[in-house]
Amino acid sequence: MINVLFAARSERWDIYEQPLRRALKAAGIDAQLSQDIPPEEVDYIIYAPNSDLQDFGPYTRAKAVLNLWAGVEKIVGNDTLKIPLARMVDPGLTKGMVEWVTGHTMRYHLGMDSHIVNPDNEWDHRSPPLAQERGVLMLGMGALGTACAEVLAGLGFRVTGWSRSPKSVNGVTCLHGADQLEDALGRGEIVITLLPDTPATENTLNAETLAQLPKGAFIINPGRGPLIDDDALLAALDSGQIAHATLDVFRVEPLPQDHPFWRHPKVTVTPHIAADTRASTASEVIVENIRRGEAGEPFINLVDRELGY
Ligand code: NDP
Ligand code: OXD
């Protein structure tokens, strides 16, 4: 029998306990699953970075930390962590992100706000353009960015994806690296940021890069707050360079009440709800890694600690 520690806030235990037990049983793994196991007896740690566990030193026989979140910026620099770290790539979370990103993209593309908020009852008879006339830029072409880009390309948008390394995705113009960022930005009438939070991605959207977008571009950020320089974005919104921004993630969360984003007329704030990990599908992903660990097979979704994602 192996010992699997669930190290996340207790409300998560209520959501995950049964799906994890079902997935372990389905995989034929005999495991004690608990929130309380002596550290030296733990074989795997299912982990949320906001849990109380921050010192991995005492977990001397643990084989892997299996993150419940896609983002790993709060754990990747933990010097006490010497064992493999897997991040969450969950089909349920991916579906949620595709729906959220598509919805907010369509809001901007169709200009929905002008009809929803129309206090003067204006009969403005302009039809929206077709998707094929609209350039969408996906900054980050990983598990989430690629899934969103594929669906938006399927709707007809002219989608450009930008990543660190080269990619090939059907229907998407793929650019990569710092040298091709300016080219990518020039194509982004609607820009979606799905990059991880690393030292290399901080302030990817800053005064210089925001100015390289087409005038009146829209920003949708479900990635992480530090991807955008807040002050530069506020200045670009005020000048009209950026028409509107929908922000789901922030440098400080919850977003402080006195932050200008809350009251800015060109900003929509959503409270980090773009896509949640879904317990049933995420449990299968976690258990697959436990199965692999026990079978001596390589783990999936491993984090590169040097790159930070
Ligand atoms: P992945 O690790 O699968 O993808 C990350 C992408 O970013 C890759 O395409 C990677 O390039 C690219 N990238 C990383 N560094 C750079 C760089 N320096 N320059 C250019 N491109 C870079 O992550 P996911 O798609 O799974 O998730 C993305 C982020 O979404 C998460 O890190 C998390 O912060 C956020 N998230 C937000 C949620 C929410 O509810 N708001 C929910 C879940 C996730 P390459 O492919 O070449 O490696
Ligand atoms: C995640 C998130 O990283 O919810 O999973 O943001």
Side-chain angles (χ1 to χ4, degrees), residues 242-297:
I242 302 301
H244 203 277
T246 293
L247 309 174
D248 185 56
V249 283
F250 305 91
R251 286 167 192 269
V252 177
E253 294 183 9
L255 184 65
Q257 278 305 320
D258 60 353
H259 196 289
F261 285 155
W262 278 120
R263 55 180 187 280
H264 200 291
K266 295 181 181 172
V267 175
T268 295
V269 169
T270 61
H272 200 143
I273 44 76
D276 207 356
T277 306
R278 312 289 150 157
S280 60
T281 44
S283 295
E284 288 168 12
V285 173
I286 285 187
V287 168
E288 169 59 10
N289 257 337
I290 295 176
R291 185 199 69 71
R292 284 169 170 262
E294 292 310 285
E297 295 173 21

Side-chain angles (χ1 to χ4, degrees), residues 69-71 93 224 272 275:
W69 297 2
L93 181 149
R224 283 292 186 262
H272 200 143

Side-chain angles (χ1 to χ4, degrees), residues 100-118:
W100 189 89
V101 163
T102 305
H104 286 279
T105 301
M106 293 310 283
R107 168 193 176 190
Y108 286 141
H109 170 60
L110 298 176
M112 288 177 174
D113 289 24
S114 62
H115 304 290
I116 294 169
V117 183
N118 186 9

Side-chain angles (χ1 to χ4, degrees), residues 10-32:
S10 52
E11 68 267 16
R12 293 273 113 184
W13 174 247
D14 297 340
I15 297 168
Y16 274 93
E17 182 187 0
Q18 291 314 320
L20 281 169
R21 290 197 191 286
R22 274 196 295 276
L24 285 163
K25 191 169 171 205
I29 297 171
D30 185 16
Q32 180 200 187

